[in-house]
Amino acid sequence: MIDAYEDPGTPDSRSGGRYLWWLVARQPLRCAAGAMFGSVWMVLLAATPYLMSRAIDDGLEPGDMGALALWSGALFTVGAFNSWLSIMRHRTMTRVRMDANFRTVKVVVGQAVRLGAFLPRRMGAGEVVTIGVGDVQTISQSLTVVGPGVGAVVAYLAVAVLLVSVSPLIAAVVLLGIPVIVLLVGPLLGRLQGSETEYRERQGVLTARIGDLAGGLRVLAGLGGKTLVADAFRRDSQRLREQGYRVGAVTSWVQALGIGLPTLFLAVVTWLAARLAAQGDITVGQLVSVYGYVAVLVGPVSFWVECGYQISRGLVCARRVVRFLRLEPMPDTGTRDAPSEPSALYDPESGVRVLPGRLTALVAEHPADAVAVVDRLGRYTPSDATWGGTRLDEIALSQVRSRILLADHESDLFAGSLQDMVRPASRGAGNCATSHNAPADAAQHDTALQTALHTAAAEDIVQALPDGLNTHMAAQARNLSGGQRQRIRLARALLAAPEILLSVEPTSALDAHTEATVADRLREARHGCTTVVTTTSPLVLDRTDTVHYLVDGKVAASGSHHELLDTTPGYRALVARDDEEAVR
């Protein structure tokens, strides 16, 4: 089974079927062992009726107790050996499934890490969760076909050979009848794929809404919108349930026919064999063996139908994984070096120009317009934005990431101690002389951490926790309030000490007193460093050097906060909540 730290390999993402075959090819010896154990196990199941017929014809009927004991002993030995084979088959196939499970998890997680910040822009969180939770399990289960699936084919051929030695007529009926059963079930498997695909897609959408609902429950309750969102979720879940019923209906028919048709076929063949025995064409022992052969065939045929069902579902899930693996981040074609000294950022699409060493604010009638600007300035979306006169996409991405940090107010907070949650990954030293660049030792790191917490007005959060910075925090810091999480995110961004900080709504969830405190401390801590914030808060805007007022994504006016209040009615209406001015 794949080791936790082993390279899972490069997946074949050309199609769902090729991906499933890649999972088999990554563990050939184990899959071959599963096929061998499954084949021998099923063939020996078919050998049991043969040994029983010999015991009857050679021992019981003529009264030869020695022959009876010999064949009975052989029957016991084969049964005991087959029990051991069954254990080995199950153990091997469990390892095959677990390897496929873990390998798929590793390639999916690796792809998510590779996409990084581009992932939310390419695929919804709900679909990623559905892949990681449901699809991975279904894919691994579909690999059952390499064990008992192969064994079912071998057992079918072995029984056919044994039946020919008994009666060519019965052998012909069996050889023609079993494929007919498989063909009858085939169309249902195609229908199952369509229903399963739609069900998985709706499940991904609903999962995303669950995450949105859980994350915004506190805000929704405060706004009185919890009931409205709950009603919408209830309607979506009911539609998903109805689609699940449709999938279940097809599945029930597949499973019922997989058991019912072979059993009906068993009755037909048994009746035919009984007539041949009554006519003296076959012996009583051969009649027993025919019944046993056909009874054994119920297992392989059921396995075929089950494998077809599992492969059908596995293909649906593998296609979703392949679609995810085909996603590509924004190409890094940059070869030029970043500016050697603090330089201006410029976004031609909006007209926003960010001067180095200044605290700049973006105010937009539609908040998404301001977010789009910082996405372009941070090189998270394709654009013509420049840095020091050089296009951002021409600069090596590693240099952009080490010196420009986009701090989203909904960025992820990973489970662990509060100190680990706030401590940023190594980013390399920026060029901002006043920032806390890469502390050289633990003491300097502690000082930088305390400074970042102070700037974000987050000391009270640490003091209120039972173990301070060592307190274990849940994923996304769900054991903190929305305002506390926002301050922790801001502290983390400040501790990273980037040369250029692009911060989205850093104080939107704070009360007025805390917001004013953070605004004052942020201006002081980032003095001389390039900082951009998106906000409509007068408390923050009053501390900025430059404000760009955006209308329909374009700069409509620029200046200080007080200048825009005096000269731009739309700006005044937006930040001062002046309804009368807005009406005019």
Side-chain angles (χ1 to χ4, degrees):
M1 193 155 46
I2 184 171
D3 184 80
Y5 301 100
E6 182 182 339
D7 180 10
T10 302
D12 190 338
S13 57
R14 287 176 289 178
S15 68
R18 289 180 181 274
Y19 179 79
L20 293 180
W21 177 248
W22 174 77
L23 290 176
V24 173
R26 294 300 296 180
Q27 42 180 336
L29 295 180
R30 189 178 295 122
C31 290
M36 181 193 68
F37 286 132
S39 299
V40 176
W41 171 65
M42 283 197 174
V43 168
L44 290 182
L45 287 178
T48 301
Y50 171 79
L51 295 173
M52 188 177 296
S53 69
R54 296 301 301 271
I56 294 173
D57 289 341
D58 297 348
L60 186 61
E61 189 172 346
D64 187 343
M65 300 306 295
L68 179 62
L70 176 64
W71 289 112
S72 297
L75 189 62
F76 173 79
T77 302
V78 168
F81 180 67
N82 222 21
S83 298
W84 177 81
L85 280 177
S86 179
I87 295 173
M88 296 304 297
R89 174 193 62 83
H90 182 76
R91 179 178 297 175
T92 303
M93 292 312 304
T94 298
R95 288 180 174 271
V96 169
R97 290 192 296 270
M98 295 302 291
D99 183 281
N101 191 312
F102 294 147
R103 197 176 296 275
T104 300
V105 168
K106 291 193 73 170
V107 298
V108 168
V109 172
Q111 173 70 347
V113 172
R114 175 171 169 264
L115 292 173
F118 297 98
L119 178 57
R121 297 168 172 83
R122 302 295 181 89
M123 180 175 285
E127 190 166 2
V128 177
V129 171
T130 301
I131 290 174
V133 175
D135 292 349
V136 168
Q137 183 67 30
T138 303
I139 287 172
S140 63
Q141 192 66 33
S142 69
L143 295 194
T144 300
V145 68
V146 303
V150 173
V153 176
V154 175
Y156 175 74
L157 296 176
V159 169
V161 172
L162 291 172
L163 283 174
V164 169
S165 65
V166 175
S167 170
L169 176 62
I170 295 177
V173 171
V174 171
L175 288 173
L176 293 176
I178 298 299
V180 170
I181 293 175
V182 176
L183 290 175
L184 288 175
V185 179
L188 288 174
L189 296 178
R191 183 179 175 186
L192 176 64
Q193 281 197 38
S195 300
E196 184 81 15
T197 299
E198 185 177 353
Y199 177 79
R200 291 288 179 179
E201 290 175 352
R202 292 189 177 184
Q203 187 180 37
V205 172
L206 191 64
T207 304
R209 294 197 176 181
I210 291 175
D212 294 341
L213 181 61
L217 193 58
R218 185 187 301 271
V219 176
L220 288 172
L223 297 175
K226 185 167 63 173
T227 302
L228 181 63
V229 175
D231 290 340
F233 177 79
R234 187 178 297 109
R235 288 192 299 270
D236 290 340
S237 63
Q238 288 173 349
R239 284 194 289 268
L240 179 64
R241 182 183 60 187
E242 292 169 0
Q243 182 63 24
Y245 286 156
R246 285 191 284 272
V247 174
V250 179
T251 301
S252 64
W253 274 105
V254 171
Q255 294 178 341
L257 291 176
I259 299 297
L261 288 178
T263 304
L264 180 62
F265 180 69
L266 170 63
V268 173
V269 175
T270 303
W271 174 80
L272 179 60
R275 284 183 58 85
L276 293 176
Q279 295 170 0
D281 295 333
I282 62 175
T283 66
V284 175
Q286 289 175 324
L287 171 63
V288 172
S289 67
V290 168
Y291 177 82
Y293 293 149
V294 180
V296 167
L297 280 179
V298 173
V301 174
S302 297
F303 267 119
W304 280 349
V305 175
E306 177 67 19
C307 286
Y309 166 68
Q310 295 292 354
I311 290 176
S312 179
R313 299 183 68 218
L315 284 172
V316 172
C317 297
R319 290 184 192 123
R320 290 165 56 85
V321 171
V322 165
R323 187 166 66 245
F324 177 67
L325 295 179
R326 286 177 177 173
L327 296 178
E328 291 292 335
M330 186 188 302
D332 180 16
T333 57
T335 57
R336 302 180 64 175
D337 289 331
S340 58
E341 57 186 20
S343 302
L345 283 173
Y346 176 59
D347 175 37
E349 186 171 336
S350 64
V352 169
R353 183 179 297 276
V354 179
L355 299 179
R358 297 175 68 85
L359 176 57
T360 304
L362 303 181
V363 178
E365 290 184 333
H366 304 289
D369 292 340
V371 174
V373 172
V374 296
D375 274 348
R376 294 192 290 268
L377 294 178
R379 195 179 159 186
Y380 284 99
T381 55
S383 72
D384 297 326
T386 62
W387 184 14
T390 304
R391 285 176 58 103
L392 273 171
D393 54 13
E394 295 179 358
I395 300 173
L397 184 60
S398 59
Q399 297 188 33
V400 175
R401 292 289 176 264
S402 67
R403 295 173 60 181
I404 302 177
L405 172 64
L406 196 161
D408 195 319
H409 64 302
E410 293 182 351
S411 57
D412 290 319
L413 295 170
F414 299 101
S417 69
L418 179 59
Q419 183 167 210
D420 291 337
M421 183 176 285
V422 176
R423 181 187 296 118
S426 176
R427 294 177 47 84
N431 292 333
C432 182
T434 59
S435 63
H436 309 291
N437 289 325
D441 54 37
Q444 290 182 354
H445 177 272
D446 290 341
T447 300
L449 176 59
Q450 294 301 326
T451 301
L453 291 170
H454 173 75
T455 303
E459 307 104 309
D460 62 317
I461 301 175
V462 178
Q463 295 168 0
L465 294 173
D467 296 319
L469 288 170
N470 295 320
T471 302
H472 181 79
M473 308 300 293
Q476 305 300 344
R478 293 191 179 91
N479 42 342
L480 299 179
S481 68
Q484 289 174 325
R485 287 196 295 270
Q486 192 168 49
R487 284 182 280 164
I488 291 299
R489 289 188 176 99
L490 178 58
R492 181 174 64 179
L494 292 170
L495 187 58
E499 176 184 334
I500 301 175
L501 173 62
L502 310 174
S503 183
V504 178
E505 297 287 352
T507 62
S508 59
L510 306 184
D511 60 78
H513 174 73
T514 306
E515 187 176 30
T517 301
V518 170
D520 285 332
R521 293 177 181 178
L522 178 64
R523 178 178 177 82
E524 180 182 352
R526 295 287 299 176
H527 178 69
C529 301
T530 306
T531 307
V532 179
V533 296
T534 70
T535 184
T536 57
S537 168
L539 294 173
V540 177
L541 294 170
D542 191 42
R543 276 79 172 176
T544 59
D545 298 312
T546 303
V547 179
H548 294 298
Y549 172 51
L550 305 177
V551 178
D552 295 330
K554 308 290 185 181
V555 174
S558 298
S560 69
H561 171 58
H562 292 287
E563 288 173 350
L564 293 182
L565 285 176
D566 293 337
T567 62
T568 310
Y571 176 83
R572 182 167 61 251
L574 181 61
V575 302
R577 283 41 170 192
D578 189 341
D579 292 336
E580 292 183 2
E581 199 65 56
V583 172
R584 273 184 253 158

